[in-house]
Amino acid sequence: AFRLYSKAAEKGYPSALRSVGQCFMLGLGVPKDESKGVQYYQQAAELGNKLAAVDLATSYFTGAGIEQNQDKAIKILEEKAAQKSAEAMDVLGSCYYTLGNYEKADYWFELAFENGCAVAALRQANIYLFDSERKKDIEKGTALLKKAADAGNPDAQFYLAKGYLYGEKSELAIEKDTKQGIDYLKKAVWSGSYKAYQFYGDALIEG
Protein backbone atom coordinates (compact mmCIF):
# COMPACT_ATOMS: atom_id res chain seq x y z
CA ALA A 1 0.00 0.00 0.00
CA PHE A 2 2.82 2.41 0.84
CA ARG A 3 4.30 2.09 -2.66
CA LEU A 4 0.96 2.82 -4.28
CA TYR A 5 0.38 5.82 -2.03
CA SER A 6 3.91 7.07 -2.76
CA LYS A 7 3.42 6.91 -6.52
CA ALA A 8 0.17 8.84 -6.25
CA ALA A 9 1.77 11.31 -3.83
CA GLU A 10 4.55 12.01 -6.32
CA LYS A 11 1.84 13.21 -8.70
CA GLY A 12 0.58 15.62 -6.06
CA TYR A 13 -2.67 13.97 -5.05
CA PRO A 14 -3.61 15.42 -1.64
CA SER A 15 -5.30 12.27 -0.30
CA ALA A 16 -2.25 10.19 -1.27
CA LEU A 17 0.08 12.67 0.43
CA ARG A 18 -1.99 12.32 3.59
CA SER A 19 -1.91 8.51 3.34
CA VAL A 20 1.89 8.54 3.01
CA GLY A 21 1.99 10.78 6.07
CA GLN A 22 -0.11 8.29 8.01
CA CYS A 23 2.19 5.46 6.98
CA PHE A 24 5.22 7.34 8.32
CA MET A 25 3.39 8.33 11.51
CA LEU A 26 2.36 4.74 12.25
CA GLY A 27 5.24 2.83 10.68
CA LEU A 28 3.03 1.05 8.14
CA GLY A 29 5.13 -0.43 5.34
CA VAL A 30 7.96 1.98 6.17
CA PRO A 31 10.10 2.75 9.25
CA LYS A 32 8.21 5.02 11.63
CA ASP A 33 9.22 8.66 11.21
CA GLU A 34 6.79 11.15 12.74
CA SER A 35 8.62 14.21 11.44
CA LYS A 36 8.31 12.92 7.86
CA GLY A 37 4.67 12.14 8.52
CA VAL A 38 4.07 15.74 9.55
CA GLN A 39 5.79 17.00 6.40
CA TYR A 40 3.39 15.02 4.25
CA TYR A 41 0.42 16.24 6.30
CA GLN A 42 1.58 19.80 5.70
CA GLN A 43 1.84 19.26 1.95
CA ALA A 44 -1.60 17.69 1.77
CA ALA A 45 -3.12 20.40 3.96
CA GLU A 46 -1.62 23.13 1.79
CA LEU A 47 -3.36 21.52 -1.19
CA GLY A 48 -6.70 21.74 0.58
CA ASN A 49 -7.09 18.34 2.22
CA LYS A 50 -9.13 19.04 5.37
CA LEU A 51 -8.40 15.68 7.00
CA ALA A 52 -4.67 16.24 6.59
CA ALA A 53 -5.10 19.64 8.24
CA VAL A 54 -6.82 17.90 11.16
CA ASP A 55 -3.95 15.39 11.33
CA LEU A 56 -1.45 18.26 11.28
CA ALA A 57 -3.31 20.04 14.07
CA THR A 58 -3.33 16.84 16.12
CA SER A 59 0.44 16.62 15.72
CA TYR A 60 0.83 20.20 16.89
CA PHE A 61 -1.41 19.52 19.88
CA THR A 62 0.45 16.38 20.98
CA GLY A 63 3.94 17.32 19.79
CA ALA A 64 4.20 14.22 17.60
CA GLY A 65 6.83 14.86 14.91
CA ILE A 66 6.83 18.61 15.45
CA GLU A 67 7.34 21.11 18.26
CA GLN A 68 4.22 21.17 20.40
CA ASN A 69 2.03 24.22 19.87
CA GLN A 70 -1.48 23.73 21.22
CA ASP A 71 -2.60 27.25 20.35
CA LYS A 72 -1.67 26.70 16.71
CA ALA A 73 -3.42 23.34 16.75
CA ILE A 74 -6.67 24.87 17.96
CA LYS A 75 -6.38 27.71 15.43
CA ILE A 76 -6.07 25.21 12.55
CA LEU A 77 -8.96 23.14 13.86
CA GLU A 78 -11.23 26.15 14.33
CA GLU A 79 -10.47 27.26 10.76
CA LYS A 80 -11.46 23.83 9.43
CA ALA A 81 -14.49 23.65 11.72
CA ALA A 82 -15.64 26.96 10.21
CA GLN A 83 -15.48 25.14 6.86
CA LYS A 84 -17.91 22.52 8.25
CA SER A 85 -15.32 19.81 8.89
CA ALA A 86 -17.02 17.48 11.39
CA GLU A 87 -13.68 15.76 12.01
CA ALA A 88 -12.12 19.08 13.06
CA MET A 89 -15.05 19.71 15.41
CA ASP A 90 -14.62 16.25 16.93
CA VAL A 91 -10.89 16.74 17.51
CA LEU A 92 -11.57 20.19 18.99
CA GLY A 93 -13.84 18.47 21.49
CA SER A 94 -11.03 16.11 22.46
CA CYS A 95 -8.51 18.95 22.68
CA TYR A 96 -10.68 21.08 24.94
CA TYR A 97 -11.46 18.05 27.09
CA THR A 98 -7.73 17.40 27.49
CA LEU A 99 -7.29 21.06 28.49
CA GLY A 100 -10.03 20.70 31.11
CA ASN A 101 -12.51 23.01 29.38
CA TYR A 102 -15.50 20.66 29.54
CA GLU A 103 -18.03 23.26 28.40
CA LYS A 104 -16.20 23.85 25.12
CA ALA A 105 -15.54 20.13 24.77
CA ASP A 106 -19.27 19.38 24.97
CA TYR A 107 -20.03 22.21 22.53
CA TRP A 108 -17.69 20.88 19.86
CA PHE A 109 -18.62 17.22 20.36
CA GLU A 110 -22.30 18.11 19.95
CA LEU A 111 -21.61 20.23 16.88
CA ALA A 112 -19.52 17.43 15.37
CA PHE A 113 -22.39 14.98 15.88
CA GLU A 114 -24.87 17.40 14.32
CA ASN A 115 -22.58 17.55 11.28
CA GLY A 116 -22.49 13.79 10.84
CA CYS A 117 -19.68 12.59 13.11
CA ALA A 118 -21.31 9.79 15.11
CA VAL A 119 -18.14 8.92 17.00
CA ALA A 120 -18.25 12.34 18.69
CA ALA A 121 -21.33 11.25 20.65
CA LEU A 122 -19.54 8.03 21.59
CA ARG A 123 -16.58 10.02 22.94
CA GLN A 124 -18.96 12.13 25.01
CA ALA A 125 -20.72 9.01 26.26
CA ASN A 126 -17.45 7.44 27.37
CA ILE A 127 -16.53 10.60 29.27
CA TYR A 128 -19.82 10.66 31.17
CA LEU A 129 -19.80 6.91 31.78
CA PHE A 130 -16.21 6.07 32.58
CA ASP A 131 -13.88 9.05 32.98
CA SER A 132 -12.83 9.63 36.57
CA GLU A 133 -11.78 13.22 35.81
CA ARG A 134 -15.39 14.29 35.38
CA LYS A 135 -18.46 13.64 37.52
CA LYS A 136 -20.21 10.56 36.15
CA ASP A 137 -23.68 10.90 34.70
CA ILE A 138 -24.87 7.40 33.77
CA GLU A 139 -28.21 8.53 32.32
CA LYS A 140 -26.63 11.20 30.10
CA GLY A 141 -23.87 8.82 29.05
CA THR A 142 -26.41 6.16 28.10
CA ALA A 143 -28.46 8.67 26.10
CA LEU A 144 -25.35 9.77 24.21
CA LEU A 145 -24.39 6.17 23.56
CA LYS A 146 -27.83 5.54 22.05
CA LYS A 147 -27.45 8.64 19.85
CA ALA A 148 -24.15 7.32 18.53
CA ALA A 149 -25.58 3.82 18.03
CA ASP A 150 -28.65 5.06 16.18
CA ALA A 151 -26.38 7.19 13.98
CA GLY A 152 -24.60 4.01 12.90
CA ASN A 153 -21.45 3.87 15.04
CA PRO A 154 -20.59 0.15 15.38
CA ASP A 155 -18.78 0.42 18.73
CA ALA A 156 -21.73 2.28 20.25
CA GLN A 157 -24.12 -0.33 18.84
CA PHE A 158 -22.08 -3.11 20.42
CA TYR A 159 -21.83 -1.47 23.85
CA LEU A 160 -25.53 -0.65 23.81
CA ALA A 161 -26.34 -4.23 22.79
CA LYS A 162 -24.47 -5.55 25.81
CA GLY A 163 -26.27 -3.03 27.99
CA TYR A 164 -29.66 -4.33 26.88
CA LEU A 165 -28.54 -7.94 27.20
CA TYR A 166 -27.14 -7.55 30.73
CA GLY A 167 -29.54 -4.90 32.02
CA GLU A 168 -28.74 -3.81 35.59
CA LYS A 169 -25.50 -5.80 35.50
CA SER A 170 -24.18 -3.45 32.83
CA GLU A 171 -22.79 0.03 33.45
CA LEU A 172 -25.67 1.67 31.58
CA ALA A 173 -28.95 3.16 32.73
CA ILE A 174 -31.19 0.73 30.86
CA GLU A 175 -33.34 -2.26 31.75
CA LYS A 176 -32.68 -5.69 30.33
CA ASP A 177 -34.31 -6.19 26.94
CA THR A 178 -33.01 -9.23 25.09
CA LYS A 179 -34.76 -8.41 21.83
CA GLN A 180 -33.30 -4.88 21.75
CA GLY A 181 -29.92 -6.29 22.67
CA ILE A 182 -29.94 -8.78 19.81
CA ASP A 183 -31.17 -6.12 17.37
CA TYR A 184 -28.29 -3.77 18.26
CA LEU A 185 -25.82 -6.65 18.23
CA LYS A 186 -26.86 -7.53 14.67
CA LYS A 187 -26.55 -3.88 13.65
CA ALA A 188 -23.04 -3.77 15.12
CA VAL A 189 -22.06 -6.93 13.23
CA TRP A 190 -23.39 -5.52 9.95
CA SER A 191 -21.62 -2.21 10.67
CA GLY A 192 -18.31 -4.06 10.86
CA SER A 193 -17.64 -4.41 14.59
CA TYR A 194 -15.23 -7.32 15.07
CA LYS A 195 -15.99 -7.38 18.80
CA ALA A 196 -19.70 -7.72 18.08
CA TYR A 197 -19.04 -10.44 15.50
CA GLN A 198 -16.92 -12.38 17.99
CA PHE A 199 -19.46 -11.87 20.79
CA TYR A 200 -22.31 -12.98 18.53
CA GLY A 201 -20.37 -16.04 17.39
CA ASP A 202 -19.54 -17.06 20.96
CA ALA A 203 -23.20 -16.66 21.95
CA LEU A 204 -24.31 -18.94 19.10
CA ILE A 205 -21.74 -21.57 20.09
CA GLU A 206 -22.86 -21.47 23.70
CA GLY A 207 -26.47 -21.76 22.58
Side-chain angles (χ1 to χ4, degrees), residues 1-203:
F2 176 75
R3 289 182 181 178
L4 293 174
Y5 291 145
S6 294
K7 288 182 179 180
E10 288 172 3
K11 296 178 180 179
Y13 292 109
S15 59
L17 287 164
R18 178 186 179 237
S19 294
V20 171
Q22 290 176 315
C23 288
F24 275 115
M25 292 296 285
L26 300 173
L28 299 175
V30 68
K32 185 174 180 177
D33 189 330
E34 291 181 341
S35 62
K36 277 190 177 180
V38 169
Q39 289 172 22
Y40 278 97
Y41 287 160
Q42 287 175 322
Q43 291 179 53
E46 288 169 3
L47 291 171
N49 189 289
K50 291 180 183 178
L51 292 177
V54 173
D55 294 332
L56 178 61
T58 301
S59 294
Y60 271 118
F61 192 83
T62 61
I66 198 167
E67 185 177 353
Q68 189 176 42
N69 189 332
Q70 295 181 336
D71 290 337
K72 187 167 186 175
I74 288 175
K75 182 180 178 182
I76 294 171
L77 291 169
E78 288 180 342
E79 287 174 355
K80 297 308 167 186
Q83 297 171 14
K84 302 299 183 182
S85 168
E87 291 79 12
M89 297 171 190
D90 178 43
V91 175
L92 270 170
S94 295
C95 290
Y96 277 117
Y97 177 75
T98 299
L99 295 171
N101 191 329
Y102 301 140
E103 185 177 348
K104 281 193 174 182
D106 281 340
Y107 170 80
W108 285 111
F109 281 137
E110 288 165 11
L111 201 58
F113 179 80
E114 290 172 9
N115 281 271
C117 184
V119 74
L122 176 60
R123 294 194 212 285
Q124 263 191 304
N126 285 332
I127 289 169
Y128 281 105
L129 290 169
F130 308 118
D131 200 313
S132 60
E133 294 297 317
R134 188 173 190 175
K135 185 177 179 181
K136 288 187 177 181
D137 188 331
I138 304 297
E139 290 187 1
K140 187 165 186 176
T142 301
L144 286 163
L145 187 64
K146 192 172 188 307
K147 277 177 63 175
D150 290 343
N153 182 273
D155 290 330
Q157 290 169 340
F158 175 54
Y159 294 138
L160 192 62
K162 291 202 299 181
Y164 278 118
L165 291 171
Y166 295 137
E168 293 180 356
K169 293 181 181 180
S170 74
E171 297 175 302
L172 305 179
I174 50 179
E175 295 181 359
K176 185 174 181 177
D177 187 328
T178 303
K179 183 179 182 304
Q180 281 271 56
I182 292 173
D183 285 346
Y184 274 107
L185 188 60
K186 288 179 178 178
K187 288 178 182 178
V189 170
W190 283 109
S191 295
S193 169
Y194 176 75
K195 289 181 181 179
Y197 178 81
Q198 189 174 39
F199 184 90
Y200 191 62
D202 290 343

